Amino acid sequence: MDEKRYQRKIYLEDKPRAEALREILDYASLSPETELIPISDALGRITAEPIFANVSMPHYHASAMDGIAVNAEETYEAHEQRPLHLKKGEQFVYVDTGNAIPQHFNAVIMIENVQILDNNTIEIIEPATPWQHIRPIGEDIVQEEMLFPQGHQLRPADLGALLAAQITMVPVAKKPLVTIIPTGNELIQADASLAAGKIIEFNGTVFANYIKEWGGNPDLKEIVRDEPENIKKALIDAVETSDIVVINAGSSAGSKDYTVHILAELGTVFTHGVATRPGKPVILGEINGKIVVGVPGYPVSAYLALEWFVRPLVCQYLQVPVPKRQTLQVKLGRRIVSTMGAEDFIRMNIGYVNGQFIANPLTRAAGVTMSLVRADGLLVIPPELLGYEQGDTVEIELLRPLEEIKSAIVFSGSHDLTIDLLSSQLKRERTDMKIVSSHVGSMAGVMAIRKGEAHVAGIHLLDPETKEYNVSYVKKLLAGQEVVLYPFLKRTQGWIVPKGNPLEVTGVAELAQTQADYANRQKGAGTRILFDLLLKEQGLTPEQINGYDREMFSHLSVAAEVKGNERAVGLGIYPAAKAMNLEFIPVADESYDLLMTKAFFESDKGRWLQTVIQSDAFKAEVDKIGGYKVVSQAEPVFL
Amino acid sequence: MDEKRYQRKIYLEDKPRAEALREILDYASLSPETELIPISDALGRITAEPIFANVSMPHYHASAMDGIAVNAEETYEAHEQRPLHLKKGEQFVYVDTGNAIPQHFNAVIMIENVQILDNNTIEIIEPATPWQHIRPIGEDIVQEEMLFPQGHQLRPADLGALLAAQITMVPVAKKPLVTIIPTGNELIQADASLAAGKIIEFNGTVFANYIKEWGGNPDLKEIVRDEPENIKKALIDAVETSDIVVINAGSSAGSKDYTVHILAELGTVFTHGVATRPGKPVILGEINGKIVVGVPGYPVSAYLALEWFVRPLVCQYLQVPVPKRQTLQVKLGRRIVSTMGAEDFIRMNIGYVNGQFIANPLTRAAGVTMSLVRADGLLVIPPELLGYEQGDTVEIELLRPLEEIKSAIVFSGSHDLTIDLLSSQLKRERTDMKIVSSHVGSMAGVMAIRKGEAHVAGIHLLDPETKEYNVSYVKKLLAGQEVVLYPFLKRTQGWIVPKGNPLEVTGVAELAQTQADYANRQKGAGTRILFDLLLKEQGLTPEQINGYDREMFSHLSVAAEVKGNERAVGLGIYPAAKAMNLEFIPVADESYDLLMTKAFFESDKGRWLQTVIQSDAFKAEVDKIGGYKVVSQAEPVFL
């Protein structure tokens, strides 16, 4: 290994994002090519030029009713007291809706108002006015009128209008070809077998699908290994065929970050580093007049960089504006700190509780894909601000339809695997409802109810004095608030250990003795409170436990930590051990209850939730996991 | 022709829409079939079951930085005053971002904080804390955690999460197959040649594309002729293969409306007629357990019926809620009358003028496709209301993104073909701007400015006294308002007559003499005012002009009316005659000016509009049409 490479230091710029974008948009001479396509393929495509009607619609004077066509002047005498007879052929003809009105006729009388006397004669008792019940030529579309300007995205009804105007082929902007080059020695395809140090390549698929959604034509290439020659060749090939090139990873200033050097050699580097967090290590440049965007490897940074720079390029090519997201005013549940001089992009959860939108930041780690999946919105903090205080009202860009956010049941508190089942079962019954849960631990769950940030919290808090669960905590922490404690589950906590229990752990004593790697839970988690009580009972201190200070945020995380480490031990619930094929040694049975505001408990959503919990279908699902008992005929405690 | 058929009378029901929908949703035992598809095809698809992670991400403790992996305990002594040396291999190893942390190491020090002494030794001056710069196993995704519940529509970032969790095939709800059967003797394909009485079939294409957008799999069949046996066969075949069947036209109670009888014969009719305007003649029924929806032939009714009944069926099949549209509070520019006892669905234009959303109804004719194309929103008036008054605030469902409505320049007044060119040219310069125009005539345009319903109005109003254009009207009608009259075009009005001018028209006198079919314009149109002046000058009255009472709403409509009628004459502008290949006999030159509010004139949008008008590119486009002169160096008149 050549260590010299570590000595080279490049510092990234902190260029304002808008300025970096302006430069590439000004440089890019992306003007769309036009292609003529059949209407059947045109949904969602963008018109490349104004479209004018080929024919009028209707293209003849058409009857708007089933009835008879007449000459209005010849009906003026008709009156209830003085019925008028008309002769077929000369004085009237039968017409159906859509039939052409023969010349010399200029009105239609509805069949309901016609008395048929014989095969050739009818009677009417009311005159017609000229042009009644006739759709004149061009009522809908007039030949040569402009149906759509250029830059219009075609919707289903638009396709109907085109056909009606006898346009069967429509000129649309060709989709810009965006080549995506994933690079990295550590990357493998998702179907390859995993080994430590190997990472599944998935950014490319994410990019390709965003580009598809934005109206581009993505071309996802094979993974390129981190060798300058490989990358150079891939870039030269890509600019040859594509309109825009995206190269993933290698955009920072590390030892294997070759992109910026290659770009400087083959073309021009406009920008290396933008004043944003995350997403700073972006490269913008050109080779042979084609824009090349180098995006960071971490998925969140990568996504943001793609949206900041590639989306506007695609839109410029298509000559459409970059769509703006719906925004929402929300109240911040926590203080948020931001870097001075850089824009901060923070993924947020939004809960709609007690008629208020409350937003909390998700993890800010740029490597956490699930934070994009879970985010309801994006908070953009401008460079000149240092952040916001708890309780501030801020504007958030929505990443999900508002309706979906408003209808979600916000679940907080302790993690239990049955909550996912509950969420699924609820959605099966009511497609417009879902549970959005965050795993923050029992104590934080109680606090979320107190602050009005959640509808429901799952809690299992053991009182060391009374040895009872939950009630004393709620009484103390939520005094004066109207809440309900709904008995939900009995479940078993136990030691989660590798198969065969190599350290022969049966209690905390062995943990200390063997200096096992203990996988602890976060402060405020019910399981941690239980562990602390076990320690205390044995007269042990946290310092005697190896790993006590590191925190896992869920039972599954604990099990994942135990898996693959022969010296590891965790405390958690049975299904987590089972899911990871680990051994489980029972320690204690506990009550996992649902804490709800009384308002939610009595609401439509709250009642549905209880119905689903008490349903046979849900209980059967829970039984399948094992280690649980749903409390039947639960008697809620009003506090 | 058998006239007996006209004597049969069926009356449609007026069933509440919600009740009709409930019945079919309850009947339809649509449960989705699941299909397993690769991630690369999964964008926009709906998960059929909860998806759990196959592996953790990261699946090993990974370095989050380029640097060295160390054992934190071995670095505690390091201090600026007391640098610590570490030996390669035993005490540290080099790691790049993403590399696995070897066992016995538990922290990473960034390369920037490492001083390399020789190939085997480095120096640090600061201790590491345990687990710093390490991404622990499952930081992003924990094996066996639920990534998505069922009923989740997969977005690009979601596909990344699936791949990261090593899921390469995903179970999704199969798209319901919706067969669409167009029926009618009058229907032809868009590429067939037109004849009076023949109508281009386009509803089927509209339906197919909506169903595609909603997540269904449309199967558009060939046109079926109006014969009971044909329709019966088509229905029997369709229910065999599909999940839902849509049959278009023949849903009313006319002579050739066979659908309801066939449905009763083959299966069950649940509903014939719903209490809505338009859209009343809907049929809901089933054959062999498959829901059949009969929708009316008029395109607007057809679209509404599809959305009311077919969309919820598709969503029920996919187990997703029917998405709700964004709504907007608007002020009504006009009084709107509604039928008691029926829901009214009114297509609306929305203009954002002077910081206010003003909405006006488009035509209510169910046959006008372009009203769907042009609509910004839908006003739903409940059955118990008789309508709304002008100035009322009502809630509208948006059919277009709010952003697009807010950014539009609302153009009112007289119709001129150059306005379309102007709109196109403006969009070419600024993709986020467009002109939305309604052709209401010059006088109505002045009124729209007065009522704050438009930004700009095109007017050409001849003062019979002064023989001057526009100024006197504006002074009189907009006294006290700050407006600007921007000189835009000089153009020529003339007689539009069939090729060869068969009636030898040169003035109004011949019109009266020959009893020509005159195609008149609507009241308040500048062209009508000109015509009335010509009549008056010749001492003629409207009664002497054949066709005076029928109103056309644009120059093109007048030309379309003249085309194909040898006895027709219109008054209009040269390009309309040219577009339809008609003859043009000049009558008068006139000023077509743009009336704007002063606020708009001085706004960013207003300035862009003037820039585009004065651009060489726009003038060149106008010159191509002929018959126009754009006023150069226009001197706006402030009034």
Side-chain angles (χ1 to χ4, degrees), chain A residues 140 150 155 166 192 369 373 424, chain B residues 140 150 155 166 192 369 424:
Chain A
D140 191 343
Q150 86 281 11
R155 302 162 299 170
Q166 209 170 33
T369 315
V373 168
S424 253
Chain B
D140 191 345
Q150 86 281 13
R155 303 161 299 168
Q166 210 170 34
T369 315
S424 254

Side-chain angles (χ1 to χ4, degrees), chain B residues 470-528:
Chain B
N470 301 329
V471 177
S472 63
Y473 285 85
V474 174
K475 275 189 178 156
K476 196 172 124 196
L477 295 167
L478 298 183
Q481 268 187 278
E482 287 201 308
V483 293
V484 179
L485 199 58
Y486 186 88
F488 179 42
L489 293 171
K490 297 292 177 191
R491 65 179 196 180
T492 309
Q493 289 269 14
W495 303 113
I496 297 175
V497 294
K499 274 280 170 197
N501 192 3
L503 297 182
E504 297 179 6
V505 171
T506 59
V508 281
E510 289 94 348
L511 261 175
Q513 274 161 29
T514 60
Q515 278 296 294
D517 294 330
Y518 181 63
N520 203 5
R521 289 292 305 281
Q522 83 273 27
K523 286 178 205 72
T527 305
R528 176 150 171 167

Side-chain angles (χ1 to χ4, degrees), chain A residues 391-464:
Chain A
D392 278 359
T393 297
V394 297
E395 190 175 80
I396 283 189
E397 294 180 18
L398 294 187
L399 296 172
R400 245 186 249 288
L402 183 58
E403 202 54 44
E404 213 177 307
I405 294 168
K406 273 184 102 165
S407 67
I409 297 176
V410 182
F411 186 96
S412 186
S414 171
H415 171 243
D416 189 89
L417 297 164
T418 57
I419 300 304
D420 288 346
L421 288 184
L422 187 57
S423 174
S424 253
Q425 196 59 37
L426 186 70
K427 228 175 168 318
R428 210 163 270 142
E429 299 289 329
R430 281 282 303 261
T431 54
D432 59 340
M433 280 191 187
K434 65 168 188 174
I435 293 176
V436 174
S437 57
S438 50
H439 311 148
V440 293
S442 294
M443 286 295 279
V446 176
M447 289 307 161
I449 296 289
R450 180 156 107 173
K451 292 194 283 175
E453 295 181 1
H455 297 112
V456 192
I459 60 172
H460 58 117
L461 289 163
L462 175 58
D463 187 329

Side-chain angles (χ1 to χ4, degrees), chain A residues 89-359:
Chain A
E90 314 145 46
Q91 292 182 299
F92 82 90
V93 291
Y94 285 107
V95 285
D96 281 342
T97 305
N99 283 168
I101 305 297
Q103 281 222 312
H104 312 300
F105 291 123
N106 69 357
V108 168
I109 298 173
M110 286 195 287
I111 198 68
E112 289 90 323
N113 300 329
V114 171
Q115 183 67 30
I116 297 167
L117 301 181
D118 62 43
N119 264 356
N120 286 306
T121 321
I122 59 95
E123 178 182 286
I124 54 171
I125 53 170
E126 224 179 85
T129 58
W131 297 94
Q132 80 175 19
H133 303 317
I134 289 180
R135 300 185 62 205
I137 291 175
E139 185 200 44
D140 191 343
I141 293 167
V142 184
Q143 187 182 333
E144 301 299 335
E145 85 167 294
M146 188 172 81
L147 298 177
F148 304 104
Q150 86 281 11
H152 175 81
Q153 186 170 29
L154 293 167
R155 302 162 299 170
D158 300 340
L159 303 181
L162 288 171
L163 286 178
Q166 209 170 33
I167 294 162
T168 54
M169 302 288 286
V170 62
V172 296
K174 214 170 145 189
K175 297 179 176 195
L177 183 69
V178 185
T179 297
I180 301 158
I181 307 171
T183 73
N185 291 335
E186 73 286 10
L187 297 182
I188 56 168
Q189 300 292 356
D191 51 7
S193 74
L194 289 182
K198 293 297 173 195
I199 296 174
I200 293 171
E201 201 297 291
F202 61 86
N203 277 345
T205 298
V206 174
F207 296 176
N209 283 284
Y210 275 117
I211 286 163
K212 212 190 282 177
E213 275 199 347
W214 298 336
N217 180 18
D219 181 13
L220 176 56
K221 296 292 187 190
E222 295 287 301
I223 297 162
V224 173
R225 298 301 161 200
D226 281 331
E227 294 299 331
E229 282 315 305
N230 294 347
I231 295 173
K232 200 184 278 187
K233 184 173 179 317
L235 280 174
I236 290 172
D237 289 351
V239 296
E240 187 74 24
T241 54
S242 27
D243 298 299
I244 302 161
V245 177
V246 179
I247 178 161
N248 188 212
S251 70
S252 192
S255 57
K256 288 190 181 163
D257 293 328
Y258 303 122
T259 309
V260 75
H261 306 291
I262 295 169
L263 201 55
E265 188 190 325
L266 298 176
T268 319
V269 175
F270 300 128
T271 299
H272 191 200
V274 288
T276 60
R277 305 289 180 274
K280 178 182 163 93
V282 165
I283 304 170
L284 302 172
E286 64 79 29
I287 300 174
N288 290 346
K290 304 288 176 66
I291 297 287
V292 178
V293 180
V295 299
Y298 275 139
V300 178
S301 320
Y303 159 70
L304 288 170
L306 198 79
E307 172 156 311
W308 296 331
F309 301 111
V310 180
R311 186 172 204 183
L313 285 169
V314 170
C315 286
Q316 171 162 309
Y317 185 96
L318 295 171
Q319 302 201 313
V320 295
V322 178
K324 286 185 190 157
R325 294 208 185 92
Q326 199 183 342
T327 57
L328 181 72
Q329 300 284 327
V330 300
K331 209 176 122 183
L332 288 181
R334 290 216 264 295
R335 183 169 191 240
I336 297 178
V337 178
S338 166
T339 324
M340 191 75 172
E343 276 177 301
D344 251 292
F345 289 79
I346 302 175
R347 290 140 275 165
M348 306 289 290
N349 260 349
I350 306 171
Y352 184 63
V353 183
N354 302 335
Q356 245 199 146
F357 290 102
I358 306 258

